[in-house]
């Protein structure tokens, strides 16, 4: 009789309840196995099991502490509560270990921790032995992650460093101070390059040397002598003053995520090298093959996807999620790997897609795109898909690929199908109870993905059928037209019964306006161009004019892109201004405008810069044609209901026009603040009593895009202004004042005058500029005041969204009440830090979590951030009574403690609010 499976649960760490042993838990435990010395795997447990090498690294990095440590040699057999166990090299970093445990009845489990199957230069090679249950990390558990040969990556890295030094620059190689940095150093062994190490790297490298690890000659980083050396530093210090002061440098990030498209941009470096301390997809498969387990439990990264692929190969495999006891059986779904190497999502009701199943083909294409890393291959796949469509089907498919059900923002908003409603419907259709649903979907920050998991594992009797694009559009139209959550829920529930789980996932993704398949707008435009053999630039131009890639795709197919033009009530993407820091920068750029036109700098007219005040309001287009007028925001959202008086006055204009301008709050002869204007947003009509008295507004016009059927986009600004001045404007409409400047001094004077008028700053424009929809070029520039900042401490942190769903990137921060020393929340921010800084803080906040409620972690207040903002307003949202407008993170203040953060009194002083 076979031995029963070993019980495994997961609660912020893997737990073996039969012997009460934790494996790499998040937080202090009585007894825990620590696989290696990285911060996200170490905590100050009462008793620790680890390798001898890991223990030495822990002492060097975190101090000896008071823990009872059992440090074993690899392969040494030991006893724990009657079970035999031994440690095996994991190949991740020096001393990293897997733990193999055998129960007295012979049942066994192997826990890998982080591991790598390729032999490293600075750590022990991974070893595997057979086990009934394999618990494995799956950081790179998608088929797209296949690392190139290590030798090729090392050669490219050496070439990068050598060429930089030969060109008189300092190659700065970014790798974590423990593990990656030593692997980089070992890779340079035969390069003959002098090497310097950051002090944190030095500290860890010295521990390695205690165990006779051989490295090339190196010395500690000295800024004055760094020229001529390759420098190895942790990513967390890449933006430090020390590194910034190196005038001539080339930055390179060493990470497995270098395989992701746009990784250079993401890491803000000159080069990326895909050298990782983790196993790639083939390596993960090799580990499963070596262990020959009866059951595989996956952790981290693409755990769900990798488990699904293993099930497709007939191996029982599940992702360890939530607070559960893993007593699972194999569902009869699988994963089919096509000849192109892409993995399709599994379904209990899989059927071969037929030619009439248009939405099934759409989903298949979207899944292939999500699995792809190469931009060109994505464009090829999309183009092939679009090429087979025409007319309304093509328009609908292209719209769906933007993650929206309809082309107009107002129609998408009218769907009013939120995540709460979706969750209720999915529970109904899947017939899961609340506990089952939470267990399956916990940790998912994507409502579409959660829908797939619930329906895939649920008990509902789905009856999938083919769906055309016409039927899909009818479904979304019906959802938009029915009123109330009960009626919408009934429609959605009936619909989801007819979709495979993977297709239901995409229905929900479209309802939530986020496909999350790595498909950017520009890529879709390139695919349209490729599909119909037209120029990508022409597709982009048409998309800017029509605001609808669906309509553009149809025009491209019919070779009618030239018919795309500005039309009333089809909002145009607004032209944007690029920021400049000083008046001197503005003037220098203006000189460039004239040089580009071949004009002499000696004439005053050639040197003129047009200046307008930058208003603290809402950018808006007003469209008027015949008896109809509409208002659209900068993101093309209708705002007609919020400002009916402006719509009424627009009808008084004698011409049909499209105006570009700013709505500002204005009363009693005085401009009000943006916070006053905010009270108008969300107002449905003037009789909405719940919003209080209406705030008076004005519309300040600074551009004219279309007049009486004629587009003015390709007319120079000075001529557009002349046309604008011919208009007869109603009372609440006015023209922005324009004046010229000819020197930095005059620009500075104009800036000061704008600030005295309580405006944000200046917009400088090239009077010869054309209107470029959606572009942030250099012919419009903005000069804003450098606002104050606050030093705040992070008190809570949350998982990010989209590409940041795997890290903790949303931070709630507080100021200090000087009277009570209480920390009072004043805002939340998620922008301003580099990806490397976010990854560093993710490790930190995981280690310093006090309490976790769903996705929110309440953390030890020991990280100080400098927060920039536009202004401060009174608010009941936070317990400080204040709220920051447009907060963004300016810097991590590593030099400050929580005792040194700014006070509530200072914040009130900036807000001009009394206590």
């Amino acid at each position: 009789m076979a031995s029963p499976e070993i019980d495994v649960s997961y609660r912020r760490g893997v737990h073996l309840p039969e012997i009460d042993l934790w494996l790499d838990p998040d937080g202090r435990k009585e007894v825990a196995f620590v696989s290696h010395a990285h911060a996200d795997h170490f905590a100050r447990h009462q008793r620790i099991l680890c390798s001898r090498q890991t223990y030495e690294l822990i002492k060097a990095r975190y101090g000896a502490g008071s823990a009872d440590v059992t440090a074993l040699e690899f392969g040494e057999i030991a006893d724990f509560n009657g079970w035999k166990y031994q440690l095996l090299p994991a190949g991740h970093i020096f001393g990293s270990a897997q733990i193999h445990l055998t129960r007295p009845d012979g049942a066994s489990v192997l826990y890998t921790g982080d591991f790598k199957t390729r032999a490293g230069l600075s750590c022990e090679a991974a070893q595997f032995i057979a086990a009934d249950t394999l618990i494995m990390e799956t950081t790179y558990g998608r088929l797209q992650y296949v690392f190139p040969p290590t030798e090729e990556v090392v050669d490219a890295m050496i070439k990068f460093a050598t060429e930089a030094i030969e060109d008189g620059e300092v190659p700065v190689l970014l790798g974590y101070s423990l593990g990656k940095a030593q692997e980089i150093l070992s890779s340079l062994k035969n390069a003959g390059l002098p090497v310097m190490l950051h002090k944190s790297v030095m500290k860890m490298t010295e521990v390695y040397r205690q165990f006779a690890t051989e490295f090339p000659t190196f010395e500690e980083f000295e800024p004055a002598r760094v020229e001529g050396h390759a420098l190895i530093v942790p990513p967390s210090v890449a933006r430090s003053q020390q590194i910034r002061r190196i005038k001539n440098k080339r930055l390179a990030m060493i990470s497995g995520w270098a395989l992701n498209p746009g990784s250079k941009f993401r890491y803000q470096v000159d080069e990326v090298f895909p050298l990782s301390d983790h196993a790639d997809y083939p390596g993960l498969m090799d580990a499963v093959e070596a262990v020959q387990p009866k059951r595989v439990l996956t952790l981290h990264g693409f755990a769900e996807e990798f488990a699904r692929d293993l099930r497709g190969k007939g191996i029982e495999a599940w992702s360890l999620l939530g607070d559960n006891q893993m007593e699972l059986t194999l569902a009869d779904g699988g994963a089919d790997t096509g000849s192109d190497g892409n993995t399709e999502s599994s379904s209990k009701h899989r059927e071969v897609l037929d030619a009439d199943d248009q939405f099934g083909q759409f989903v298949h294409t979207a899944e292939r795109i999500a699995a792809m890393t190469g931009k060109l291959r994505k464009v090829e796949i999309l183009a092939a898909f679009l090429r087979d469509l025409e007319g309304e089907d093509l328009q609908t498919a292209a719209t769906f690929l933007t993650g929206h059900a309809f082309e107009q923002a107002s129609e998408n908003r009218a769907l009013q199908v939120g995540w709460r409603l979706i969750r209720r419907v999915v529970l109904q259709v899947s017939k899961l109870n609340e506990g089952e649903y939470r267990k399956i979907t916990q940790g998912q920050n994507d409502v579409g993905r959660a829908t797939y998991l619930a329906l895939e594992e649920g008990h509902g009797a789905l009856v999938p059928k083919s769906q055309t694009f016409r039927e899909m559009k009818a479904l979304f139209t019906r959802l938009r037209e029915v009123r109330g959550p009960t009626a919408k829920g009934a429609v959605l529930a009936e619909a989801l019964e007819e979709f495979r789980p993977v297709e239901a996932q995409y229905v929900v993704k479209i309802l939530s306006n986020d496909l999350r398949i790595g498909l950017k707008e520009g890529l879709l435009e390139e695919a349209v161009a490729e599909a119909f053999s037209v120029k990508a630039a022409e597709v982009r131009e048409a998309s800017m004019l029509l605001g609808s890639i669906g309509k553009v795709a149809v025009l491209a197919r019919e070779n009618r892109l030239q018919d795309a033009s500005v039309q009333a009530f089809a909002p145009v993407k607004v032209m944007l201004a690029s920021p400049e820091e000083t008046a001197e920068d503005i003037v220098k750029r203006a000189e460039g405008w004239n040089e580009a036109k071949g004009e002499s700098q000696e004439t005053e007219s050639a040197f003129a810069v047009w200046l307008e005040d930058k208003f603290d309001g809402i950018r808006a287009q007003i469209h008027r044609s015949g008896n109809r007028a509409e208002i659209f925001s900068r993101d093309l959202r209708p705002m007609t209901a919020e400002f009916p008086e402006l719509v009424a006055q627009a009808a008084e204009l004698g011409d049909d026009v499209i105006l570009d301008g700013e709505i500002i709050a204005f009363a009693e002869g005085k401009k009000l603040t943006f916070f006053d204007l905010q009270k108008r947003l969300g107002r449905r009509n003037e009789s909405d009593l719940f919003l209080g008295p209406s705030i008076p507004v004005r519309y300040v016009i600074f551009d004219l895009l279309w007049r009486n059927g004629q587009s003015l986009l390709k007319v120079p600004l000075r001529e557009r202004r002349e046309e604008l001045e011919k208009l007869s404007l109603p009372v609440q409409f006015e023209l922005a004042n324009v004046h010229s400047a000819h020197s930095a001094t005059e620009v500075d004077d104009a800036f000061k005058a704008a600030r005295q008028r309580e405006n944000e700053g200046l917009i400088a424009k090239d009077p010869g500029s054309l209107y470029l929809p959606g572009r942030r070029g250099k012919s419009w520039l903005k000069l804003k005041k450098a606002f104050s900042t606050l030093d705040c401490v992070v008190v809570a942190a949350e998982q990010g969204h989209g590409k940041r769903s795997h890290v903790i990137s949303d931070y709630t921060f507080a100021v200090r009440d000087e009277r009570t020393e209480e920390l009072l929340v004043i805002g939340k921010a998620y922008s301003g830090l580099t990806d490397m800084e976010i990854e560093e803080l993710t490790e930190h906040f995981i280690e310093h979590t006090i309490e976790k409620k769903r996705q929110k972690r309440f953390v030890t207040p020991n990280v100080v951030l400098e927060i920039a903002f536009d202004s401060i307003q009174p608010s009941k949202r936070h317990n400080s009574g204040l709220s920051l407008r447009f907060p963004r993170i300016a810097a991590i203040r590593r030099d400050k403690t929580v005792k040194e953060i700014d006070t509530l009194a200072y914040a009130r002083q900036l807000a001009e609010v009394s206590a």
Side-chain angles (χ1 to χ4, degrees):
M1 181 176 177
S3 300
E5 289 179 337
I6 292 174
D7 289 343
V8 180
S9 67
Y10 184 81
R11 298 193 300 274
R12 294 174 60 185
V14 178
H15 186 225
L16 304 180
E18 295 176 51
I19 52 173
D20 196 18
L21 177 64
W22 290 85
L23 311 176
D24 284 334
D26 178 11
R28 181 181 173 87
K29 303 295 179 186
E30 185 175 343
V31 187
F33 166 67
V34 174
S35 64
H36 62 285
H38 278 157
D40 58 337
H41 287 253
F42 171 74
R44 298 190 180 279
H45 312 295
Q46 293 181 41
R47 183 182 174 191
I48 292 174
L49 311 181
C50 64
S51 72
R52 187 166 65 91
Q53 297 92 320
T54 293
Y55 180 48
E56 295 300 325
L57 287 166
I58 287 173
K59 287 194 296 182
R61 201 172 198 202
Y62 310 109
S66 58
D68 176 11
V69 178
T70 301
L72 298 183
E73 299 288 352
F74 288 123
E76 180 182 349
I77 305 295
D79 180 270
F80 183 82
N81 287 352
W83 292 31
K84 298 296 182 185
Y85 76 96
Q86 63 175 309
L87 305 187
L88 304 167
H92 175 58
I93 66 170
F94 185 62
S96 61
Q98 308 173 74
I99 185 169
H100 185 278
L101 298 109
T102 306
R103 200 167 55 188
D105 64 1
S108 58
V109 59
L110 176 66
Y111 169 75
T112 66
D114 292 344
F115 75 100
K116 176 173 85 260
T117 51
R118 296 186 183 190
L121 299 174
S122 62
C123 65
E124 308 83 358
Q127 297 177 18
F128 299 94
I129 58 176
D132 299 321
T133 297
L134 171 62
I135 307 171
M136 64 186 300
E137 67 105 350
T138 51
T139 298
Y140 294 106
R142 262 191 177 175
L143 188 60
Q144 69 199 58
Y145 293 108
V146 180
F147 300 140
T150 302
E151 297 78 10
E152 290 182 9
V153 179
V154 169
D155 287 346
M157 194 163 57
I158 291 173
K159 182 173 182 287
F160 170 86
T162 302
E163 290 180 351
I165 291 175
E166 288 175 351
D167 292 341
E169 296 181 310
V170 176
V172 181
L173 306 175
L174 306 177
Y176 294 111
S177 59
L178 174 55
K180 183 63 65 63
Q182 289 73 34
E183 191 70 10
I184 297 169
L185 180 59
S186 297
S187 300
L188 301 178
K189 185 174 180 180
N190 298 317
L193 298 174
V195 180
M196 283 187 172
L197 306 181
H198 185 267
K199 63 180 180 180
S200 62
V201 177
M202 283 281 292
K203 183 178 179 181
M204 295 296 100
T205 305
E206 290 300 334
V207 178
Y208 275 58
R209 292 177 84 175
Q210 293 177 23
F211 289 84
T213 306
E214 293 187 10
F215 293 113
T217 303
F218 60 84
E219 54 187 309
E220 187 168 351
F221 172 40
E222 292 184 28
R225 299 178 46 250
V226 72
E227 188 174 345
H229 293 75
L231 176 61
I232 302 175
V233 303
S236 59
V237 302
R239 310 299 168 191
S240 67
Q241 288 299 319
Q242 264 194 336
I243 304 303
R244 287 181 178 179
R245 286 179 184 141
I246 301 174
K247 292 183 179 179
N248 299 313
K249 59 181 177 292
R250 292 183 194 173
L251 292 171
M253 182 67 184
I254 291 80
S255 168
W257 301 114
L259 291 180
N260 286 340
S263 54
K264 283 187 192 179
F265 175 78
R266 177 190 176 200
Y267 290 118
Q268 301 178 39
V269 294
D270 301 294
E271 192 55 85
V272 290
F273 296 104
L275 188 68
S276 179
D277 294 329
H278 297 263
D280 62 0
Y281 188 92
L284 296 174
M285 286 295 182
D286 289 343
V288 175
E289 178 67 24
V291 176
Q292 291 291 302
K294 298 175 184 176
R295 174 179 64 158
V296 178
L297 304 176
T298 58
L299 281 168
H300 310 307
F302 297 102
E304 291 287 349
E305 288 87 341
F306 190 73
R308 187 179 66 212
D309 288 358
L310 290 179
R311 292 198 297 273
K313 296 177 179 294
I315 300 171
E316 180 180 351
W318 304 97
S319 170
L320 273 173
L321 292 174
D323 196 5
N324 57 36
Q325 186 80 13
M326 297 302 293
E327 294 290 347
L328 304 174
T329 57
L330 182 63
D332 57 346
D336 299 329
T337 303
S339 59
D340 61 359
N342 295 297
T343 304
E344 299 176 21
S345 297
S346 59
S347 171
K348 294 180 180 179
H349 304 278
R350 178 166 301 287
E351 297 176 2
V352 177
L353 297 175
D354 57 51
D356 294 329
D357 191 1
Q358 291 180 316
F359 191 65
Q361 298 290 352
F362 170 87
V363 170
H364 175 66
T365 301
E367 288 282 271
R368 293 180 69 193
I369 293 298
M372 284 288 164
T373 56
K375 172 183 171 182
L376 294 179
R377 184 68 179 130
K378 285 187 178 186
V379 169
E380 288 175 6
I381 293 170
L382 278 174
F385 171 66
L386 296 172
R387 198 176 290 124
D388 292 335
L389 301 171
E390 59 185 22
E392 186 178 344
D393 289 342
L394 173 59
Q395 186 169 337
T396 301
T399 302
F400 286 176
L401 285 168
T402 66
H404 295 87
F406 303 104
E407 294 169 314
Q408 294 296 324
S410 58
E411 292 183 282
N412 287 303
R413 285 211 331 282
L415 280 165
Q416 292 184 322
V417 179
W419 71 268
R420 293 181 186 275
L421 175 59
I422 292 169
R423 182 177 182 276
R424 176 167 60 80
V425 170
V426 170
L427 278 168
Q428 175 186 336
V429 174
S430 67
K431 295 181 170 57
L432 294 172
N433 60 42
E434 288 278 356
E436 290 172 322
Y437 180 86
R438 283 197 302 271
K439 180 171 67 176
I440 291 168
T441 63
Q442 186 168 349
Q444 294 298 324
N445 229 11
D446 179 342
V447 67
R449 178 67 178 162
T451 297
Y452 165 76
L453 293 172
L455 295 180
E456 176 76 358
E457 302 298 337
H459 318 303
L462 306 183
V463 185
K465 71 173 189 178
S466 298
Q467 304 279 352
T468 66
F469 283 125
R470 188 181 297 272
E471 289 170 325
M472 292 303 302
K473 191 169 182 180
L475 166 62
F476 291 127
T477 300
R478 190 177 173 201
L479 280 170
R480 183 191 65 198
E481 291 175 348
V482 297
R483 293 289 179 263
T486 301
K488 289 181 185 291
V491 172
L492 183 58
E494 180 184 358
L496 292 189
E497 293 279 2
E498 299 180 342
F499 289 99
R500 302 170 182 87
V502 67
E503 293 163 355
Q505 171 182 211
Y506 278 87
V507 172
V508 170
K509 282 175 177 283
I510 292 170
L511 287 173
S512 55
N513 299 329
D514 191 359
L515 287 189
R516 298 192 184 193
I517 60 173
L519 179 59
K520 296 182 178 179
E521 182 181 25
L523 208 64
L524 182 53
E525 291 169 347
E526 289 185 35
V528 169
E530 175 74 16
F532 306 116
S533 302
V534 295
K535 294 180 180 179
E538 293 176 354
V539 173
R540 283 192 291 271
E541 183 71 20
S543 182
M544 293 290 185
L545 294 174
L546 298 179
S548 164
I549 191 63
K551 292 177 182 176
V552 170
V554 173
L555 290 178
R557 182 179 184 83
E558 298 172 356
N559 197 25
R560 294 194 298 114
L561 284 176
Q562 68 276 7
D563 292 349
S565 61
V566 183
Q567 301 173 12
F569 313 116
V572 176
K573 294 183 180 179
V574 300
M575 185 171 176
L576 303 170
S578 297
E580 294 289 355
E581 294 187 1
T582 67
E584 288 75 13
D585 293 333
I586 297 282
V587 170
K588 186 178 296 184
R589 187 69 65 182
E591 292 171 351
W593 296 336
N594 298 318
E595 288 173 6
K597 300 168 191 170
E599 296 177 353
S600 169
Q601 300 298 319
E602 296 176 0
T603 64
E604 182 178 290
S605 61
F607 190 65
V609 182
W610 276 26
L611 300 177
E612 300 170 6
D613 282 15
K614 187 179 190 309
F615 298 99
D616 186 19
I618 299 172
R619 183 82 175 267
Q621 286 177 34
I622 290 186
H623 293 227
R624 189 266 191 187
S625 181
N627 296 323
R628 179 184 171 193
E630 299 280 353
I631 305 177
F632 299 93
S633 67
R634 64 182 295 160
D635 59 356
L636 314 186
R637 178 180 65 83
M639 294 194 300
T640 303
E642 284 100 329
F643 302 102
E645 71 275 41
L646 294 182
V647 174
Q649 291 204 10
E652 299 175 13
L653 290 163
D655 298 79
D656 293 341
V657 293
I658 297 178
L659 304 171
D660 189 6
E662 196 98 1
I663 298 173
I664 62 172
F666 195 92
E668 298 178 1
K670 181 182 178 183
K671 178 184 173 297
L672 305 180
T673 68
F674 180 82
F675 301 121
D676 296 304
L677 186 58
Q678 275 186 316
K679 298 173 185 177
R680 292 293 299 269
L681 301 180
R683 180 184 294 274
R684 296 186 180 276
N685 52 59
E686 284 296 296
S687 63
D688 195 336
L689 301 178
F690 294 100
L691 293 174
S694 179
I695 301 298
V697 295
R698 283 193 178 182
Y699 184 59
V700 182
I701 310 167
F702 47 73
D703 221 323
L704 177 63
L705 313 186
W706 178 87
R707 183 183 183 195
N708 298 331
Q710 297 296 315
S711 171
L712 301 177
L713 298 187
K714 296 185 179 180
V715 173
L717 174 60
R718 62 169 64 89
E719 295 180 29
R720 300 201 301 274
R721 177 72 186 199
E722 290 172 0
E723 292 294 314
L724 190 55
E725 291 174 350
K726 295 176 183 177
L727 298 179
S728 176
L729 301 179
V731 176
Q732 287 179 256
F733 285 51
E734 64 182 65
L735 292 183
N737 290 321
V738 174
H739 46 280
S740 297
H742 307 87
S743 67
T745 300
E746 291 184 15
V747 173
D748 262 330
D749 290 343
F751 176 82
K752 293 173 185 175
R755 292 299 300 160
Q756 288 174 354
R757 290 188 288 270
E758 297 186 349
N759 290 320
E760 287 187 336
L762 292 176
I763 297 290
K765 297 180 179 179
D766 177 359
S769 61
L770 309 183
Y771 195 96
L772 305 175
R775 309 272 179 86
R776 192 183 294 277
K778 294 296 184 180
S779 55
W780 287 16
L781 308 168
K782 60 184 176 183
L783 183 63
K784 290 177 65 176
K785 176 185 176 182
F787 289 97
S788 299
T789 62
L790 285 174
D791 289 332
C792 304
V793 68
V794 178
V795 294
E798 297 172 68
Q799 199 172 343
H801 300 273
K803 73 172 187 176
R804 289 183 172 174
S805 61
H806 66 293
V807 292
I808 297 171
S809 62
D810 296 10
Y811 313 121
T812 300
F813 44 82
V815 291
R816 178 173 54 86
D817 188 331
E818 64 282 359
R819 298 169 300 177
T820 64
E821 294 301 312
E822 184 181 2
L823 298 177
L824 301 175
V825 172
I826 196 170
K828 179 178 178 181
Y830 52 84
S831 63
L833 296 182
T834 66
D835 289 310
M836 288 175 284
E837 289 171 326
I838 290 171
E839 288 169 8
E840 175 196 357
L841 289 182
T842 296
E843 286 190 15
H844 178 89
F845 289 135
I846 289 174
E847 185 177 349
H848 292 85
T849 296
I850 300 170
E851 182 183 5
K852 186 177 180 184
K853 291 184 178 179
R854 302 189 71 175
Q855 296 299 320
K856 191 168 188 175
R857 295 172 181 267
F858 295 90
V859 300
T860 305
N862 55 13
V863 172
V864 177
L865 300 178
E866 182 181 358
I867 305 295
F869 53 91
D870 282 11
S871 53
I872 308 179
Q873 65 173 333
S875 172
K876 296 180 181 179
R877 185 188 314 168
H878 305 308
N879 59 3
S880 66
L882 301 173
S883 180
L884 305 184
R885 183 189 176 209
F886 298 145
R888 56 267 187 199
I889 303 165
I892 303 174
R893 294 303 302 266
R894 305 177 196 276
D895 57 325
K896 290 198 171 187
T897 67
V898 65
K899 293 182 179 180
E900 298 173 283
I901 65 172
D902 284 315
T903 63
L904 178 62
Y906 178 61
R908 284 173 171 160
Q909 178 184 339
L910 293 178
E912 298 181 355
V913 173
S914 58

